[in-house]
Amino acid sequence: MALSNLREYVRPDGLDMALSLVKEKGRSARVIGGGIDLVRSSSPDIETLVDLSQLSLSYVRQTDKGIAIGATTTLTEIVEAPVLNNYLQGVVVEMLRQVGAPSLRNLASMGGTLASAHPWSDVITLFVALGAQVTLYNGVTRMVPLSDLYASRALLSPAIITEALLPAYAHGTAAAFMKFSRTKFDIAILNCACLISTQNGDCESVRLTAGGTPQLAALLPEVAEVLLGRKLSQTSIGQAAEMARETTLVRNDLRASGNYRRELVYAGVKRCLTCVSTHLSGASQ
Amino acid sequence: MRICLTVNGKKQELDSTPGDTLLHLLRRIGYKGVKKGCESGDCGACAVLLDGRVVNSCLVLAAKADGHCVTTVEGLAGQEKTGELHPVQEAFLEQGAVQCGYCSPGMMIAAVDLLAHNPNPTDQEIKEGISGNLCRCTGYVKQIEAIRIAAKKMRKSADV
């Protein structure tokens, strides 16, 4: 048995009860989403698991701020949510279809995926690019940018992720995601995503990310700077991709060398931007 | 701890421990069709349907499945007490989509989930549907053929 010291499995019927358990038990308690990482972990510290499945946090719904996804929603439920088909050219669905096999997507939850913060996470690379917000509960509810959660993991101690929000974007905004892996469903050797809003064809806002570098997804501000105020063209896309190759921090790990990843960042950024350019030109016709 | 599971339509109250996986629990109570393979969610040999969706039972704590419905390969046949094999099982037999057979239960469970949600899958969709199931004997060709044939049979019987 992997969790050899696990003594309690609790299904609280309220967020306050869940939070008080996490506070009371400290490091020996973990919140369980799909449980994939926890079941495989051999941590002897874990004595209590707090299951959020009774808290009605499984939903994908359109709100006036964007698309809200509850923490216990499985990745399959997100893929199958009709509301995401037309959100930014279906980029979220396209990305999720490349995350693991169906048997894993049926278990993995939104909250668990964000909390686990695997550096290769396709979800995090895209969600950071999309400017996703995450709702945390620590007695009061507050919403923070997802990127802040990774900048300061202290935000999660003690707090419970209850929801992710994908912001609504106006017409003239497009997004793309690109993953490099040995097979379609494998862990990414590197992944990239971008979100671009345009005004009269010029890039008004640009968010680009690269993940699995092998670090967790990070924004590429120098690359975004290359594109701001310019139209997406072969020239500007090529220059942005070159900047990504020069400035993105990459290194070796067991999956790939830093040099290989440097070339992947170039290719990934170029393909993402080309894809966005196609989306935007299609939308303007 | 006591947990309540409905396994292949039969509601059962079972003894478990907080760290017990669904795989171990099911095998302990006799569902040996749920195969123990990698125990890390990579091979799919232990796949079962949890509320109708394929999951790796090695990654599910039994406590998490408390109150839910599980279908193992033993539950695919004779679901209406007729004793007939499920169309996916029939197709696997007819196509010879089995070699050593260790991956077959998980593969068939994954196929049943796929066809329940996509009755007319393309070959690519079939490959994606069974992408969590490793077979170390064959080249997957027979399994893909079998699932294609099962889909056709199931569509035909749905039309009747």
Side-chain angles (χ1 to χ4, degrees):
Chain A
M1 187 194 300
L3 294 166
S4 51
N5 290 326
L6 187 64
R7 295 197 182 111
E8 269 187 305
Y9 190 95
V10 192
R11 284 177 166 174
D13 53 14
L15 256 181
D16 284 313
M17 188 181 164
L19 183 68
S20 69
L21 272 166
V22 172
K23 278 183 172 172
E24 180 196 328
K25 309 273 180 181
R27 291 285 302 158
S28 70
R30 301 288 160 86
V31 173
I32 179 169
I36 293 173
D37 290 325
L38 283 168
V39 173
R40 288 196 296 189
S41 87
S42 53
S43 172
D45 302 340
I46 303 174
E47 294 175 6
T48 303
L49 289 178
V50 181
D51 182 331
L52 305 183
S53 60
Q54 303 299 307
L55 305 184
S56 303
L57 293 175
S58 292
Y59 56 83
V60 182
R61 58 172 83 115
Q62 182 87 54
T63 71
D64 53 351
K65 290 178 184 163
I67 294 171
I69 305 171
T72 57
T73 315
T74 66
L75 299 190
T76 297
E77 287 165 341
I78 301 171
V79 168
E80 293 176 350
V83 73
L84 278 165
N85 285 338
N86 295 321
Y87 178 76
L88 292 171
Q89 304 84 36
V91 69
V92 176
V93 174
E94 184 197 324
M95 174 275 295
L96 285 174
R97 286 204 169 124
Q98 301 172 57
V99 177
S103 50
L104 294 178
R105 292 202 295 261
N106 288 336
L107 281 177
S109 69
M110 181 80 270
T113 303
L114 299 182
S116 294
H118 290 302
W120 58 80
S121 169
D122 300 325
V123 174
I124 292 172
T125 296
L126 179 61
F127 276 32
V128 170
L130 300 185
Q133 308 269 312
V134 59
T135 302
L136 304 174
Y137 184 74
N138 66 349
V140 290
T141 300
R142 60 183 171 152
M143 198 184 276
V144 298
L146 180 60
S147 48
D148 286 6
L149 188 68
Y150 304 125
S152 170
R153 294 284 286 172
L155 285 171
L156 269 180
S157 57
I160 292 171
I161 295 174
T162 59
E163 187 180 280
L165 179 80
L166 295 168
Y169 288 103
H171 188 73
T173 303
F177 171 80
M178 191 63 55
K179 168 181 176 176
F180 299 96
S181 51
R182 291 184 66 188
T183 71
K184 187 175 173 184
F185 307 108
D186 260 329
I187 286 171
I189 297 170
L190 187 126
N191 48 33
C192 293
C194 72
L195 173 85
I196 295 186
S197 297
T198 55
Q199 186 74 39
N200 301 323
D202 296 334
C203 296
E204 193 181 46
S205 153
V206 178
R207 288 176 68 90
L208 276 149
T209 51
T213 55
Q215 301 287 83
L216 185 68
L219 286 163
L220 308 176
E222 296 95 340
V223 185
E225 192 67 34
V226 171
L227 295 167
L228 280 174
R230 298 175 69 186
K231 295 195 185 326
L232 286 176
S233 64
Q234 272 196 343
T235 308
S236 64
I237 289 173
Q239 287 169 346
E242 285 291 354
M243 180 62 84
R245 176 156 55 190
E246 280 172 31
T247 58
T248 307
L249 293 173
V250 290
R251 61 175 169 80
N252 305 338
D253 75 350
L254 58 90
R255 289 194 180 85
S257 68
N259 285 338
Y260 183 57
R261 284 198 164 94
R262 195 163 289 114
E263 295 308 314
L264 292 184
V265 171
Y266 172 82
V269 166
K270 195 170 182 178
R271 288 180 200 175
C272 276
L273 292 174
T274 305
C275 181
V276 162
S277 173
T278 307
H279 286 320
L280 289 170
S281 57
S284 64
Q285 281 167 7
Chain B
M1 64 188 288
R2 297 284 285 172
I3 66 165
C4 182
L5 275 186
T6 302
V7 186
N8 300 334
K10 188 179 163 196
K11 201 168 180 180
Q12 307 186 45
E13 285 227 1
L14 301 160
D15 281 322
S16 182
T17 56
D20 208 5
T21 62
L22 185 57
L23 164 66
H24 288 150
L25 177 65
L26 288 169
R27 287 185 62 83
R28 204 163 61 235
I29 61 174
Y31 295 99
K32 303 285 188 182
V34 186
K35 299 298 179 196
K36 184 175 154 184
C38 66
E39 289 195 87
S40 58
D42 293 308
C43 76
C46 66
V48 298
L49 299 177
L50 185 61
D51 295 333
R53 303 309 298 244
V54 60
V55 297
N56 295 316
S57 61
C58 68
L59 295 181
V60 181
L61 289 174
K64 190 166 177 60
D66 187 15
H68 293 270
C69 295
V70 175
T71 306
T72 71
V73 72
E74 291 93 339
L76 292 183
Q79 285 188 330
E80 290 167 16
K81 297 182 180 173
T82 58
E84 286 177 13
L85 292 179
H86 188 283
V88 168
Q89 292 173 306
E90 278 180 358
F92 267 62
L93 270 176
E94 286 163 12
Q95 292 306 305
V98 174
Q99 213 167 82
C100 86
Y102 204 78
C103 71
S104 305
M107 194 80 81
M108 289 190 280
I109 286 284
V112 169
D113 180 3
L114 170 73
L115 299 183
H117 297 92
N118 181 1
N120 193 10
T122 62
D123 278 5
Q124 184 57 35
E125 287 167 339
I126 293 173
K127 286 178 190 173
E128 292 183 10
I130 57 170
S131 60
N133 300 79
L134 298 183
C135 171
R136 298 290 81 156
C137 304
T138 75
Y140 300 96
V141 174
K142 293 286 185 186
Q143 286 100 328
I144 292 165
E145 276 175 15
I147 295 167
R148 198 190 305 128
I149 286 165
K152 200 172 171 184
K153 277 186 182 180
M154 289 167 73
R155 286 199 306 275
K156 205 171 171 185
S157 60
D159 286 343
V160 173

